[in-house]
Amino acid sequence: MAKRARVRAPELAGKGGWINTVGGGLSLADLRGRIVIVDFWTFCCVNCLHVLDELRELEEKHRDTVVIIGVHSPKFVHEAEHQAVVDAVERYGVEHPVLDDPELATWKQYAVRAWPTLVVIDPEGYVVAQHAGEGHAHAIARLVEELEAEHAEKGTLRRGDGPYVAPEPEPTVLRFPGKALALPNGNLLVSDTTRHQLVELEEDGETVVRRIGSGVRGFVDGVAKAAGFSEPQGMALLDDGSVVVADTVNHALRRLDLATGEVTTLAGTGRQWWQGSPTSGPAREVDLSSPWDVALFGGKVWIAMAGVHQLWVYDPESGTVGVAAGTTNEGLVDGPGAEAWFAQPSGLAATADRLWLADSETSALRWVDLDGAVHTAVGTGLFDFGHRDGAAGQALFQHPLGVTALPDGSVAVSDTYNHALRRYDPVTGEVTTLATDLREPSDAVLVGDDIVVVESARHRLTRLRLPEEAVRVESVAHRTQRAATEVAPGELRLDVIFQAPAGQKLDILPHARTDSRGGTPIGPSTRLLVSSTPPELLLKGEGADTDLSRTLELNPEVKEGVLHVSAMAASCDDDPANEYPACHVHQQDWGVPVRLTEGGADRLPLVLAGMDG
């Protein structure tokens, strides 16, 4: 077995304390003898949610040797609230201990630069691997098997039950509901996300008429009691009277027949879309990625494809699906659909001439016109957020998840992390606050003269009379808590570290091969895309290439900004006897805040997989 580089793992510490365990928390000494996988995540991040799902099988298979520890490292101010982290752990079915680290203490000790990041610690307490982004579960599973064999032989492996302690279930009618839909019969249909069901409620928003779905996470078509969903979110009425459902973690669109309760699949394969997978075609043959909301606009179903920062469309007439806008790069860029950048679009609302969308990670309200061009009404980028009313150019939201068209042509925004319902008037260009003291509102629906708000973290629907006047609130503005990296002006060496997993090698994928997720050949084995905010920060080095290292030139006149780095690497099984080796895609997007300082670093290493030598 090849000798593996090892570094002593720093202690796990966080001011918020521990969740999903008892007895005062955990230390690395408590975990000695176990293989520890530390998952640095934040609950706003859809890529982090993907990794939670990727780890479930490994967590179950190696439960007696592996302990997964989540370290929650917040981006938004709301995510630093301990109760919000407790809620997120339950909401997303996290079945391992979680350290709440609101001040990013452990994040800094491990020199983490991106959400999500996975760090593997061996049974003797040494870091042996680090992975940023998604798609690493197969590599970590292989490493776990090697560590099990190595440390069993050395006598340093300790088997047994882990420290996870499940919380007591709460007997609420809804549990972290996501979205709501007004039905033609006057009832309300709610996605009961954490319970993997749809719930039809009477007009009062409380009395249960029926539940659609078994309540067990799954991907199953069939009658209401047998159908399986996985964290469903947005819904929309189709012209034939049925309902299309964004079945988020199944990466699929489902159809609910309201008359019979029958559930069928309209689009998606159940597999997550990955770079190189088809971007259009027969809907049941194309992979999707975390569809979060849906809306009927221009005769087609538009999909907020949060998992890849795009908008897609499903055509009910042809039964096809394809990309409508977005490049998969994460950020805020307006323009023609093919050139626009989004950041986790999570809420949609259609009017006759506009498709409004809540672009959550940029804390922005945006819209698409009838020609498919993308515009921003409110919001500036990935790192600025807050609660500020007034002119749209200086107004701020904080991770909104829902948007609702109002009768007067304005829109209501479910401003999730501000616990508020906001309003944007496109005529005056003003943002106001309609209601506060909501708890993580994620959607709202008009019912007569009222607006019914999905209070996700209070597990209920709340009916409000649409106010005539705005609520007066104190303005606040925030930037992400992540400390800027100090770099020297002038030349900066950017190195993306990637080491192919054991038994694999970097490979250009020829036509005969496909990636392990069932996609089509994806071309060169590596790709690096670099840009900056503001654009003037980069004098040289912007753009795409296949080399994972690049020399950038930073403008000394720009004192701070953000480097946007997107990297991809493909590795294939290295066995010449295997005619069709399995190939895997590893990818991550970094937004690295930088501050230009004389004497700052002249090298920026970003670990995609492996260890920075």
Side-chain angles (χ1 to χ4, degrees):
M1 189 174 296
K3 187 170 177 61
R4 190 179 290 112
R6 303 195 307 171
V7 207
R8 177 63 70 178
E11 191 53 82
L12 304 173
K15 193 172 182 180
W18 289 85
I19 304 164
N20 277 358
T21 190
V22 294
L26 298 169
S27 69
L28 287 179
D30 298 327
L31 301 170
R32 195 61 51 82
R34 311 297 290 271
I35 300 163
V36 179
I37 300 172
V38 184
D39 176 15
F40 289 89
W41 70 298
T42 188
F43 64 77
C44 71
C45 162
V46 71
N47 311 94
C48 300
L49 305 185
H50 291 166
V51 167
L52 287 175
D53 293 320
E54 287 179 0
L55 292 176
R56 292 186 200 279
E57 182 179 346
L58 183 145
E59 189 170 25
E60 182 60 35
K61 182 178 179 181
H62 298 275
R63 195 171 287 278
D64 66 333
T65 59
V66 171
V67 175
I68 296 178
I69 300 292
V71 176
H72 188 271
S73 312
K75 171 186 174 181
F76 290 98
V77 168
H78 171 59
E79 293 177 303
E81 297 176 18
H82 181 68
Q83 186 56 50
V85 183
V86 172
D87 288 345
V89 167
E90 181 188 350
R91 182 196 301 264
Y92 297 116
V94 179
E95 296 185 354
H96 50 251
V98 173
L99 174 64
D100 181 11
D101 184 19
E103 296 177 350
L104 304 180
T106 298
W107 166 287
K108 294 170 185 173
Q109 284 294 311
Y110 280 79
V112 174
R113 295 185 184 274
W115 297 279
T117 291
L118 297 169
V119 175
V120 182
I121 303 173
D122 74 12
E124 295 178 291
Y126 290 91
V127 173
V128 293
Q130 181 171 326
H131 301 265
E134 305 177 49
H136 303 294
H138 68 284
I140 292 175
R142 173 73 178 261
L143 177 57
V144 163
E145 291 173 355
E146 290 182 359
L147 290 171
E148 284 177 340
E150 176 184 340
H151 289 274
E153 184 177 344
K154 290 174 66 174
T156 50
L157 184 68
R158 177 168 58 90
R159 296 180 181 270
D161 293 333
Y164 167 66
V165 178
E168 290 292 324
E170 297 287 341
T172 53
V173 172
L174 302 172
R175 203 70 192 161
F176 297 105
K179 304 285 185 181
L181 177 68
L183 298 177
N185 64 2
N187 290 346
L188 294 164
L189 189 65
V190 183
S191 54
D192 197 12
T193 303
T194 297
R195 292 201 178 120
H196 315 297
Q197 291 181 318
L198 309 178
V199 181
E200 185 176 348
L201 303 174
E202 292 184 3
E203 293 181 53
D204 60 9
E206 298 178 1
T207 306
V208 176
V209 176
R210 59 176 171 168
R211 291 181 179 271
I212 311 294
S214 66
V216 176
R217 186 190 298 271
F219 188 24
V220 181
D221 287 342
V223 297
K225 290 184 178 180
F229 297 97
S230 188
E231 298 181 29
Q233 288 283 349
M235 301 162 291
L237 278 169
L238 295 176
D239 290 337
D240 65 3
S242 64
V243 174
V244 57
V245 181
D247 193 6
T248 304
V249 178
N250 277 329
H251 310 294
L253 297 188
R254 315 293 291 283
R255 177 185 183 273
L256 169 64
D257 187 314
L258 287 171
T260 66
E262 184 89 8
V263 175
T264 53
T265 299
L266 293 176
T269 63
R271 295 186 301 269
Q272 182 186 337
W273 186 93
W274 213 247
Q275 290 288 351
S277 299
T279 55
S280 64
R284 291 291 304 273
E285 299 175 14
V286 176
D287 299 342
L288 309 182
S289 182
S290 295
W292 211 275
D293 203 5
V294 284
L296 198 63
F297 179 62
K300 295 182 173 64
V301 176
W302 285 67
I303 309 162
M305 203 71 77
V308 285
H309 317 299
Q310 289 180 313
L311 300 179
W312 287 43
V313 292
Y314 165 72
D315 186 342
E317 290 289 325
S318 64
T320 57
V321 70
V323 176
T327 63
T328 76
N329 295 314
E330 184 178 14
L332 193 152
V333 176
D334 289 339
E339 300 173 10
W341 290 24
F342 300 99
Q344 249 172 262
S346 302
L348 299 175
T351 63
D353 60 352
R354 291 187 182 185
L355 179 71
W356 293 97
L357 66 114
D359 204 26
S360 61
E361 279 293 288
T362 53
S363 298
L365 173 66
R366 307 176 72 184
W367 55 280
V368 181
D369 63 28
L370 291 173
D371 294 324
V374 178
H375 310 261
T376 297
V378 181
T380 60
L382 286 166
F383 297 102
D384 294 292
F385 52 91
H387 191 150
R388 182 193 284 155
D389 289 332
Q394 55 88 52
L396 295 171
F397 299 123
Q398 186 180 181
H399 198 79
L401 289 178
V403 60
T404 308
L406 300 179
D408 64 356
S410 66
V411 290
V413 177
S414 295
D415 194 4
T416 308
Y417 289 2
N418 280 328
H419 312 298
L421 189 68
R422 313 283 294 284
R423 176 179 178 267
Y424 168 70
D425 186 342
V427 175
T428 65
E430 292 286 314
V431 175
T432 53
T433 298
L434 299 178
T436 58
D437 193 31
L438 302 166
R439 186 67 184 169
E440 292 193 18
S442 54
D443 196 21
V445 59
L446 288 173
V447 179
D449 294 328
D450 297 337
I451 190 165
V452 176
V453 180
V454 179
E455 276 198 274
S456 188
R458 284 198 178 116
H459 319 292
R460 71 186 188 191
L461 304 185
T462 297
R463 185 180 293 260
L464 304 172
R465 180 69 56 162
L466 272 173
E468 296 180 3
E469 295 184 1
V471 176
R472 192 175 299 278
V473 297
E474 182 179 351
S475 294
V476 293
H478 301 289
R479 296 210 84 203
T480 177
Q481 292 190 56
R482 290 177 58 190
T485 299
E486 293 193 350
V487 296
E491 288 195 354
L492 176 70
R493 181 67 176 178
L494 172 65
D495 290 324
V496 174
I497 313 301
F498 179 77
Q499 297 162 5
Q504 297 180 28
K505 65 176 181 179
L506 278 174
D507 199 5
I508 296 176
L509 305 183
H511 183 73
R513 299 182 184 175
T514 60
D515 69 69
S516 62
R517 295 168 182 260
T520 54
I522 57 177
S525 57
T526 57
R527 185 191 69 173
L528 179 64
L529 176 67
V530 181
S531 63
S532 67
T533 302
E536 300 79 37
L537 174 62
L538 274 178
L539 295 177
K540 188 178 75 173
E542 183 179 10
D545 204 343
T546 58
D547 193 341
L548 291 181
S549 292
R550 187 180 303 180
T551 298
L552 311 180
E553 185 177 347
L554 304 183
N555 186 347
E557 301 300 319
V558 179
K559 298 306 179 186
E560 63 178 15
V562 179
L563 290 175
H564 303 283
V565 180
S566 177
M568 182 197 77
S571 60
C572 296
D573 294 341
D574 187 16
D575 182 356
N578 187 349
E579 186 178 358
Y580 299 107
C583 296
H584 311 268
V585 179
H586 317 251
Q587 71 178 54
Q588 171 63 3
D589 295 335
W590 291 267
V592 183
V594 295
R595 183 179 298 114
L596 273 61
T597 308
E598 292 296 336
D602 60 4
R603 177 176 179 263
L604 177 62
L606 299 175
V607 177
L608 178 59
M611 301 280 284
D612 179 18

